Amino acid sequence: MRTQTLIVRTAPGTRTRGVLVAGPLTFPVALGRGGIVANKREGDGATPRGRFRLKCLWWRADRMPRPATLLPSRRIEARDAWCEDPADRRYNRPIRIPHGEAGDRLRRSDQLYDLIIEIDHNTRPRIARRGSAVFIHVSHPGLAPTAGCVAMPRPRLRRLLENLGPNSRIILR
């Protein structure tokens, strides 16, 4: 079974938790500390409302084999990062940076970015300060709020990946 559409809704009674529905699968997820908002801004901690493509799986090959998925995939290397500087022409894009240079590193010491699904929020067109680095990734224990991403426990994310392909979309409501 390939899931074409993921739907994420805020869970009743809290803006930082949600429910992800993917065909017959339903998972609790963590959302941004600002909840789901229509007018996403850089640094607001909110998860953007809208319909987005799932572009690519990024994974830590030094920690696990490539997960089963039909999404395009890319290994996370030591120099991989994400540009979150609205003044930089590379804003909201993956970048390669030398050790010690600023940037949102994708290769983290915790396990939150061991699996990342890149979402195409603010990419066509890319608008400075409208938000960057919005992903689906591994959650903190207890589904603690994110900085604006959607997060879930690793086993559930791996199971979800098995059902995703290049035509899959996510709707954040």
Side-chain angles (χ1 to χ4, degrees):
M1 170 202 69
R2 291 286 165 224
T3 301
Q4 296 300 316
T5 305
L6 312 178
I7 299 172
V8 177
R9 292 185 178 92
T10 304
T14 177
R15 67 182 187 180
T16 62
R17 295 241 181 133
V19 176
L20 180 145
V21 178
L25 305 175
T26 301
F27 299 133
V29 295
L31 301 172
R33 65 183 181 276
I36 297 177
V37 300
N39 192 20
K40 170 81 178 136
R41 305 298 290 174
E42 188 68 40
D44 65 3
T47 302
R49 181 181 311 276
R51 178 185 174 97
F52 308 103
R53 290 181 311 123
L54 304 180
K55 291 180 69 173
C56 179
L57 165 69
W58 296 69
W59 95 99
R60 287 285 301 264
D62 60 319
R63 292 187 174 168
M64 69 184 78
R66 182 185 179 278
T69 189
L70 292 180
L71 284 174
S73 60
R74 182 171 165 181
R75 295 171 185 241
I76 297 172
E77 303 294 339
R79 294 183 51 217
D80 288 329
W82 206 266
C83 182
E84 294 181 320
D85 178 359
D88 192 312
R89 65 178 176 75
R90 303 171 299 169
Y91 177 66
N92 196 28
R93 294 182 189 169
I95 57 175
R96 309 247 328 154
I97 59 176
H99 182 72
E101 187 175 311
D104 185 13
R105 293 221 178 247
L106 300 184
R107 193 171 191 140
R108 297 168 51 135
S109 59
D110 62 23
Q111 297 182 3
L112 298 183
Y113 282 9
D114 284 4
L115 295 168
I116 302 170
I117 300 172
E118 181 184 341
I119 297 174
D120 79 341
H121 168 261
N122 193 23
T123 60
R124 299 172 310 194
R126 215 169 250 100
I127 300 170
R129 294 182 232 355
R130 295 300 298 202
S132 63
V134 177
F135 306 127
I136 300 172
H137 64 74
V138 177
S139 64
H140 285 286
L143 294 177
T146 70
C149 296
V150 174
M152 66 183 70
R154 178 194 314 260
R156 291 188 172 154
L157 184 48
R158 287 182 72 92
R159 184 165 179 214
L160 179 64
L161 280 165
E162 293 172 2
N163 296 289
L164 299 179
N167 294 322
S168 297
R169 305 288 187 261
I170 186 168
I171 300 172
L172 299 162
R173 297 184 175 163

